[in-house]
Amino acid sequence: MQVREILRVKGAALFTARPQQTLASAIDMMAEQDVGSLVVMDGGRMVGMLTFREVLQALRQQACSTGLTVGDVMVADPVTAYPAMEVNVLRQLMIERHSRYLPVIEDGTLLGVISFLDVAKAVLEEQSLENRMLKNYIKNWPDEVES
């Protein structure tokens, strides 16, 4: 299974923020859209990722009343995935880098964001399909022909 297959199932919805945007407005957007990450875009290109982890760290350090911006707390130059990446490689990368969300980029174009939940769902679906196919194969095992 490849990342492109997860993106196809997940859909193309992208939620973005600008580095100059207030953190409070980004939090509002994340809450309204029920998402755990925003891709930070500047001048038509991805410059970072804002996830609930960065929001929580910023809130712990100082209350949002100080006018923090998304650019103040985003992950600059985040780890990315590519469409042909195998899911096992993707899972390992997400675990090693402690990333719950990875932007998917191809030829400099942002295609979407894959979450750890998206990966878990895709793997579960693939395993369920394989399991059903194996059970069907065993159920329909041909009888041995006597000679």
Side-chain angles (χ1 to χ4, degrees):
M1 175 183 297
Q2 296 180 334
V3 168
R4 79 173 85 252
E5 294 159 6
I6 299 172
L7 277 178
R8 186 171 41 247
V9 171
K10 177 183 166 77
L14 278 174
F15 300 97
T16 64
R18 297 176 330 279
Q20 306 80 12
Q21 186 174 337
T22 65
L23 186 56
S25 69
I27 292 170
D28 286 343
M29 182 186 307
M30 292 169 79
E32 288 170 12
Q33 300 300 326
D34 193 24
V35 295
S37 70
L38 298 174
V39 179
V40 183
M41 303 290 289
D42 192 20
R45 67 178 194 86
M46 181 184 71
V47 295
M49 287 289 294
L50 177 70
T51 71
F52 62 87
R53 177 181 287 156
E54 288 77 39
V55 171
L56 290 175
Q57 288 174 347
L59 290 174
R60 187 185 79 213
Q61 291 172 359
Q62 50 186 295
C64 273
S65 63
T66 62
L68 284 175
T69 66
V70 170
D72 293 333
V73 297
M74 72 180 185
V75 174
D77 194 27
V79 176
T80 61
Y82 54 91
M85 181 181 278
E86 292 294 328
V87 170
N88 286 336
V89 175
L90 175 68
R91 287 192 305 186
Q92 187 65 35
L93 179 63
M94 293 176 96
I95 290 168
E96 287 173 0
R97 300 300 286 271
H98 295 266
S99 296
R100 290 180 180 97
Y101 304 92
L102 286 185
V104 180
I105 306 251
E106 183 173 46
D107 297 327
T109 301
L110 177 64
L111 301 178
V113 175
I114 296 286
S115 71
F116 206 81
L117 180 61
D118 297 329
V119 174
K121 285 180 182 179
V123 168
L124 182 62
E125 287 178 25
E126 182 180 48
Q127 288 174 344
S128 294
L129 174 63
E130 288 174 358
N131 193 8
R132 287 193 307 272
M133 290 173 65
L134 284 170
K135 285 180 180 178
N136 190 42
Y137 179 75
I138 292 168
K139 180 180 168 186
N140 295 316
W141 191 274
D143 293 333
E144 288 190 32
V145 179
E146 292 182 23
S147 312

